Amino acid sequence: MSPSADRACIDGARLADTGFSYTMSLIQGKYKMTILYTLMTFGVVRFNEMKKYIGTISYKTLSATLKELEADRLVHREEYPQIPPKVEYSLTPRGRSLIPILDQMCEWGDRNRL
């Protein structure tokens, strides 16, 4: 393809309509990938455990981010009716379908870390 043909293809592209853009809309944000990675690594995780694993996240941000991931059907929230309240988070099948992508990102990072 010639440079001018490449340019015409790029000019006509609508990145917002691509699968890449949709995927990024689900996982972009400071902590979403970290939460997904934590759930991928540990399976079922309680809220306070998640806070300890991540460390730098506030309770408010963790709660809001988990709600977004739940709304996007990537994370499942299981609440147990007991005192004190017990809530566990895990990946949904849809969330687990991201594992190969997360694995590849980890492998790339291991290979290219300075």
Side-chain angles (χ1 to χ4, degrees):
M1 209 182 244
S2 70
S4 62
D6 285 341
R7 181 69 185 173
C9 182
I10 292 170
D11 286 344
R14 291 196 43 161
L15 188 58
D17 295 335
T18 65
F20 173 80
S21 181
Y22 177 71
T23 303
M24 290 303 297
S25 75
L26 296 178
I27 63 174
Q28 69 187 4
K30 185 170 182 179
Y31 293 104
K32 284 186 176 182
M33 294 286 288
T34 304
I35 290 169
L36 293 170
Y37 180 79
T38 301
L39 292 172
M40 177 185 84
T41 302
F42 297 106
V44 177
V45 179
R46 294 181 66 179
F47 185 89
N48 285 330
E49 291 175 319
M50 181 83 66
K51 171 72 172 94
K52 288 177 190 173
Y53 291 141
I54 298 172
T56 58
I57 192 170
S58 70
Y59 288 103
K60 181 179 177 181
T61 301
L62 177 57
S63 179
T65 305
L66 284 165
K67 285 178 184 175
E68 289 174 18
L69 290 167
E70 186 181 4
D72 290 332
R73 301 182 333 264
L74 298 175
V75 169
H76 173 71
R77 180 180 189 271
E78 185 72 34
E79 186 174 346
Y80 297 92
Q82 65 185 47
I83 297 175
K86 177 180 174 183
V87 178
E88 295 178 333
Y89 295 90
S90 60
L91 293 175
T92 63
R94 180 179 166 138
R96 285 192 301 274
S97 71
L98 286 170
I99 289 175
I101 296 166
L102 297 175
D103 281 340
Q104 288 178 350
M105 291 177 72
C106 291
E107 290 170 18
W108 186 92
D110 287 340
R111 284 191 312 271
N112 293 281
R113 189 181 338 202
L114 298 176

